[in-house]
Amino acid sequence: MSTAVVSPGESAQSAVTYLSKSGTSFDSRFTLKILRNLPTIRKQVDATNLATLIAEHYDETYAKTILDLANLNYSGEFGQSVPISPEVDAFLHLLVQVWAINEDGVDTEKLMRLGQLSVKHLADSYNRRSLDHFNSKIWFYYVRAAELSKNLFSRELYSEMMTAYRTACLRHDFETQSMLITLLLRVLIFTNQIGTASDLVAKTTFPEGNASNSLAARYHYYLSRINAVELDYGTAYEQITAAIRKSPHTPAATGFLQTANKLSVLIELLTGDIPARRAFGSREQPELIAPLQPYFALAKAVRAGDVNQFQNALKTHEAALKKDGNLALARRLRQNVIKTGIRVISLTYSKIPLKDICLKLCLDSEESAEYMVAKAIRDGVIDATINHQKGYMQSLDSSNVYASTDPQECFDERIKFCMSLHDDNVKSLRYLSSDLKDDLRDLQEAREREKELVSEMQDTSDLDDDDMDFDF
Amino acid sequence: MASLQKLSRDFLSAFDEKKYDNAAEIIPKLKLEFAKEGILSPTPKFDPDDLLAARQLMEMAVLVSIFANRTQDEVERLISEVQPFYSPNLGLPKSDNENKILGLYLLLALTNNRISEFHSALENIDNPEDDKYLNYPVLLERWLMEGAYDKAWKAITDTNQFPSKEFMILMKSSSDNLEATVRNEIALCLEKAYTSLPVHSAKYLLYLKSDADLQTFVAERAERGWQLQAQSLLFKTEVEKRIAEEDEEISVENNEEYLINSVLNYAAKVDVIV
């Protein structure tokens, strides 16, 4: 697409023409290109153009249903029902959905019905792999509309999704399949059915190699959340790191990255580590600073091992944490605060009376302190022994990590990671076609196309606009 | 429907007269009638009044089964059958007993050491601290996790601390109740944290009443290296075990073969790249 001024509607019209030509080629690259431009097309199209497009392509009854659901007015002539290519059909449905969801004043109930209609229409009419990407997006906007109209608890929606998921599996439609898994997880987590969500994960396989990165990022995010609730912090941390790495780092994905980073920080704290300072936003990622403020306060309290400071931070930021759906997780941090406190004491003093520990940690009784220290020793937080008769804790000499194989193992892990990264890159390279001469002639042209593509991708990305408000 | 009405009347009168065993007898019949109506899996299509009535009866069934000293499994099954009635898509007004039932469920999860289930359930609850029924299991869990066993012990043994009678009965009902769990946790901590303890302190820390109790307790853990000698309890082997483990690690560390293997591996890979 050129950067010249495009009249409203023209881009949508040209996309339609482009699609109907590409329909025969069965190459997903064409659909992908259209999808990448979708946010731009959406912004350029206006109500009249969109209505005309619909009226041109569908017979009167069907066109009227769509127009009504999308809150569009149309006074012109309705065209004859012309044979329409499946790709164009899917694209128009998607465009109407995207347009309506971004427009103010469209009834959310209607939006949901529009989604339902589109999903049903596509499922009943076609079975073509070239539609997979459209199908998956249409599902996304359908469920998003259901969420906006507060219909996520509905059993019907759930069973519709399940049926569609089964169909997608049978058809090897990986795009829709992975979209539906993430959507199902979102619905389940949103309605707090963590148990069911973890069952779903156990019973399904996410098409990791075939799914798009943004979907994989979301999937890992949800997995991380499930694991964190079920106290498996190690796995949760791995998953959230994968989610952040897979997510595109473009402005469109800011919402997702903020949410993912919040969870990441919290999980890291729960595993007993203190996140690096730059995890809370830095000059490179200024968009993280404000949203992560509450988590920064919590981390500071955990790092200091100060129970009172922690309780205060929790109280001050309660509303924000609740909005993120992280309050319950944050509450669990209390024990980490105490453990850190004990660890700091154990590192500072080689021998200290239990009474002093009790005072330093603001605990109620010496007895509690004794049990807590004992528990910390058992959990491997500190290496010490307690002398009950004399009432003191004695720290043991800390062992020298560099004398063990730990550094070697860490190093080994990192090398392996770099190697596999290199291998993956090599595998996903695209090579020039055998017609080398033609390619060379087109090289200059191709370079320019590449430049355009890069500038386009900076504006948009394969992650949706709506990920801006990705939160709970 | 007639038999359902009669059953529920009988059930309610038995409940009012505190004949819990009689009432508990009626529960299966009542559930059967409910199942015939299909109301056990509630959906918004049912009449709200019917749903409310069914919910109330099911809630009472949970309480009755606790008073009638039924097994924990049975109580838990009943609780899981009430829970669908709390789903927000039914649009029913909040039940007065909801928090109590949830609190009991949390307690059951905690007693059976199903911590992840406990936390999953907790995710659903907005402010557990504000409700006495919910606050109890939440505090209990916190104390257990922090290691404040003295507070936890007080909470499960001191009758005044229970938010209601049902909690107490449920707590005492099973053979492997929380008392045993807590004591076991303490024991695990002690063996790591101390090398030896005088008998009277050990008794005190483990909340055991007599020397004989302590002797049986220690005898059960003989293979973990617990032994009574003179007037003190020794965990010596624990330290020895640790040293032995470290020795073993060192022998693995010296495994040069591992190092050679991995370095050769890196070399091969770098060779492929270059």
Side-chain angles (χ1 to χ4, degrees):
Chain A
M1 198 183 305
S2 69
T3 43
V5 185
V6 190
S7 75
E10 195 178 289
S11 58
Q13 185 63 54
S14 63
V16 167
T17 331
Y18 185 67
L19 267 180
S20 36
K21 264 191 268 170
S22 74
T24 42
S25 61
F26 291 106
D27 191 339
S28 64
R29 258 186 299 166
F30 293 104
T31 41
L32 279 178
K33 184 172 156 67
I34 295 289
L35 281 177
R36 216 169 26 236
N37 286 330
L38 193 63
T40 335
I41 300 176
R42 195 259 303 164
K43 277 174 204 142
Q44 282 167 1
V45 86
D46 62 14
T48 342
N49 286 309
L50 192 57
T52 323
L53 263 182
I54 302 281
E56 272 171 12
H57 285 90
Y58 296 99
D59 64 56
E60 194 166 343
T61 8
Y62 195 68
K64 274 191 176 154
T65 328
I66 294 185
L67 292 176
D68 172 53
L69 287 177
N71 222 9
L72 286 164
N73 291 316
Y74 182 67
S75 47
E77 292 277 302
F78 285 95
Q80 303 295 310
S81 158
V82 280
I84 179 172
S85 89
E87 285 78 16
V88 177
D89 194 5
F91 170 71
L92 284 178
H93 277 93
L94 179 60
L95 185 62
V96 173
Q97 257 189 318
V98 178
W99 185 83
I101 213 166
N102 282 295
E103 203 69 4
D104 294 330
V106 183
D107 183 25
T108 47
E109 284 286 339
K110 276 191 174 175
L111 264 183
M112 189 181 150
R113 294 226 310 278
L114 177 67
Q116 201 170 15
L117 178 82
S118 314
V119 163
K120 206 169 159 326
H121 177 75
L122 287 193
D124 291 350
S125 321
Y126 311 110
N127 176 11
R128 272 170 86 128
R129 296 291 66 77
S130 57
L131 296 183
D132 290 352
H133 288 275
F134 285 121
N135 207 7
S136 128
K137 287 272 161 181
I138 287 174
W139 263 107
F140 175 82
Y141 286 104
Y142 174 30
V143 177
R144 177 84 187 135
E147 197 179 312
L148 290 175
S149 60
K150 310 217 167 8
N151 266 321
L152 278 192
F153 281 97
S154 123
R155 298 296 307 172
E156 286 80 37
L157 176 68
Y158 190 75
S159 56
E160 264 176 54
M161 289 167 82
M162 274 316 221
T163 324
Y165 172 69
R166 275 195 296 272
T167 320
C169 285
L170 291 175
R171 290 179 175 175
H172 292 283
D173 173 357
F174 297 117
E175 209 41 45
T176 315
Q177 195 181 331
S178 41
M179 176 62 90
L180 279 167
I181 294 183
T182 43
L183 288 174
L184 279 166
L185 287 179
R186 182 173 173 87
V187 170
L188 289 173
I189 292 175
F190 205 87
T191 53
N192 277 324
Q193 305 178 54
I194 302 289
T196 325
S198 104
D199 288 347
L200 180 76
V201 171
K203 297 266 154 53
T204 53
T205 29
F206 187 78
E208 188 82 56
N210 296 302
S212 69
N213 264 349
S214 56
L215 279 180
R218 270 187 238 174
Y219 178 69
H220 284 296
Y221 170 80
Y222 293 130
L223 272 196
S224 163
R225 189 159 266 282
I226 294 168
N227 282 317
V229 170
E230 292 185 333
L231 293 113
D232 185 356
Y233 301 131
T235 323
Y237 190 63
E238 275 169 32
Q239 299 288 1
I240 197 69
T241 320
I244 293 175
R245 283 206 189 120
K246 290 223 169 204
S247 154
H249 289 246
T250 53
T254 312
F256 178 79
L257 279 178
Q258 282 169 349
T259 316
N261 271 302
K262 283 174 190 170
L263 189 62
S264 155
V265 164
L266 207 49
I267 293 173
E268 199 169 350
L269 283 172
L270 280 168
T271 52
D273 288 338
I274 306 293
R277 179 68 181 76
R278 68 188 145 79
F280 301 97
S282 55
R283 211 176 303 150
E284 288 79 43
Q285 287 177 300
E287 70 280 3
L288 290 183
I289 296 175
L292 269 91
Q293 194 54 41
Y295 300 86
F296 187 48
L298 287 181
K300 269 201 286 195
V302 176
R303 187 159 174 261
D306 185 334
V307 181
N308 288 336
Q309 190 188 339
F310 174 75
Q311 291 295 8
N312 284 337
L314 202 58
K315 205 164 229 138
T316 330
H317 299 291
E318 193 176 323
L321 291 170
K322 199 167 176 176
K323 190 174 158 285
D324 295 338
N326 287 335
L327 187 58
L329 285 178
R331 283 212 184 99
R332 290 191 207 164
L333 276 174
R334 205 185 120 93
Q335 67 196 48
N336 289 58
V337 180
I338 294 170
K339 274 187 197 159
T340 323
I342 293 177
R343 184 157 66 186
V344 170
I345 293 174
S346 145
L347 289 176
T348 323
Y349 303 88
S350 59
K351 195 170 174 184
I352 181 170
L354 291 167
K355 200 172 165 204
D356 288 351
I357 295 181
C358 177
L359 288 176
K360 275 179 192 299
L361 295 178
C362 317
L363 300 173
D364 308 339
S365 67
E366 206 175 315
E367 208 183 343
S368 290
E370 183 167 353
Y371 280 121
M372 282 177 182
V373 172
K375 171 123 172 120
I377 294 172
R378 178 192 153 198
D379 292 345
V381 178
I382 53 171
D383 207 3
T385 54
I386 302 173
N387 190 321
H388 181 76
Q389 293 96 311
K390 293 179 184 144
Y392 64 78
M393 172 185 96
Q394 168 123 40
S395 306
L396 300 176
D397 296 334
S398 60
S399 61
N400 183 6
V401 188
Y402 289 98
S404 69
T405 46
D406 282 359
Q408 191 196 336
E409 276 158 23
C410 272
F411 195 47
D412 186 50
E413 213 170 276
R414 283 183 200 185
I415 292 176
K416 277 192 184 132
F417 175 76
C418 292
M419 293 293 189
S420 71
L421 190 68
H422 175 265
D423 288 351
D424 287 348
N425 278 336
V426 171
K427 276 181 203 160
S428 54
L429 279 178
R430 267 195 189 201
Y431 296 97
L432 295 173
S433 66
S434 53
D435 225 348
L436 201 60
K437 261 188 190 163
D438 288 348
D439 276 330
L440 282 176
R441 206 182 314 133
D442 295 341
L443 203 59
Q444 194 58 33
E445 233 174 274
R447 281 219 181 100
E448 273 179 12
R449 267 211 308 277
E450 193 85 339
K451 260 185 216 158
E452 257 173 47
L453 196 67
V454 168
S455 69
E456 262 170 36
M457 283 182 43
Q458 273 164 353
D459 300 340
T460 60
S461 75
D462 62 337
L463 210 74
D464 310 277
D465 271 8
D466 298 84
D467 280 350
M468 275 304 248
D469 31 57
F470 184 99
D471 57 16
F472 287 95
Chain B
M1 211 59 188
S3 63
L4 183 56
Q5 272 164 10
K6 187 180 172 301
L7 278 174
S8 45
R9 248 200 322 276
D10 289 351
F11 180 69
L12 289 176
S13 65
F15 185 82
D16 288 337
E17 289 163 32
K18 300 207 158 67
K19 288 182 187 156
Y20 296 120
D21 282 323
N22 293 358
E25 299 282 305
I26 306 179
I27 295 175
K29 295 180 202 158
L30 205 57
K31 265 168 55 181
L32 187 66
E33 290 299 320
F34 280 152
K36 279 184 195 159
E37 301 286 326
I39 207 164
L40 274 185
S41 48
T43 54
K45 351 187 247 288
F46 287 101
D47 182 40
D49 289 335
D50 284 351
L51 283 174
L52 278 178
R55 182 174 78 178
Q56 200 195 356
L57 285 172
M58 289 302 289
E59 279 173 348
M60 286 167 75
V62 173
L63 302 184
V64 162
S65 65
I66 292 172
F67 283 125
N69 276 321
R70 294 297 154 124
T71 59
Q72 287 193 353
D73 288 346
E74 202 174 325
V75 176
E76 195 166 347
R77 202 158 47 238
L78 280 167
I79 292 181
S80 66
E81 278 159 356
V82 188
Q83 274 173 346
F85 287 94
Y86 297 139
S87 165
N89 69 338
L90 291 180
L92 298 179
K94 194 172 163 65
S95 157
D96 298 337
N97 280 324
E98 181 173 341
N99 286 345
K100 194 193 255 183
I101 303 276
L102 279 177
L104 289 167
Y105 173 73
L106 289 176
L107 188 64
L108 273 177
L110 198 59
T111 319
N112 299 321
N113 218 359
R114 295 191 309 250
I115 302 294
S116 69
E117 215 169 289
F118 177 89
H119 282 287
S120 307
L122 209 56
E123 286 283 316
N124 280 328
I125 301 165
D126 272 350
N127 275 321
E129 275 89 356
D130 300 341
D131 184 90
K132 64 170 178 171
Y133 297 119
L134 295 175
N135 196 21
Y136 179 72
V138 168
L139 279 180
L140 200 54
E141 192 266 354
R142 178 182 299 165
W143 288 330
L144 287 177
M145 291 314 278
E146 283 172 7
Y149 294 120
D150 54 326
K151 287 185 195 148
W153 187 262
K154 235 179 260 157
I156 56 173
T157 46
D158 187 351
T159 6
N160 295 330
Q161 295 214 8
F162 292 106
S164 75
K165 241 199 281 174
E166 292 91 347
F167 281 78
M168 190 179 78
I169 300 173
L170 191 62
M171 188 88 81
K172 310 268 178 210
S173 66
S174 75
S175 51
D176 51 3
N177 51 23
L178 263 181
E179 282 183 31
T181 316
V182 172
R183 188 173 287 138
N184 202 16
E185 289 287 312
I186 298 178
L188 288 173
C189 292
L190 293 188
E191 65 182 21
K192 286 263 158 73
Y194 300 85
T195 45
S196 72
L197 269 176
V199 165
H200 64 93
S201 335
K203 247 179 6 190
Y204 173 75
L205 286 170
L206 287 164
Y207 297 103
L208 290 165
K209 287 191 189 75
S210 65
D211 283 357
D213 284 345
L214 182 68
Q215 265 159 18
T216 25
F217 195 77
V218 170
E220 281 168 19
R221 282 162 180 74
E223 79 269 24
R224 297 183 65 94
W226 290 45
Q227 38 179 263
L228 278 173
Q229 256 177 27
Q231 271 309 298
S232 55
L233 172 60
L234 298 181
F235 308 105
K236 250 202 182 122
T237 43
E238 188 50 45
V239 178
E240 280 162 15
K241 228 191 285 170
R242 207 188 298 170
I243 294 170
E245 264 171 32
E246 272 166 22
D247 282 347
E248 206 175 309
E249 264 176 39
I250 288 167
S251 69
V252 178
E253 276 167 28
N254 290 341
N255 200 341
E256 285 170 10
E257 211 172 310
Y258 173 74
L259 188 66
I260 294 171
N261 259 336
S262 46
V263 171
L264 279 178
N265 219 344
Y266 306 147
K269 286 211 168 150
V270 169
D271 196 34
V272 171
I273 295 174
V274 181

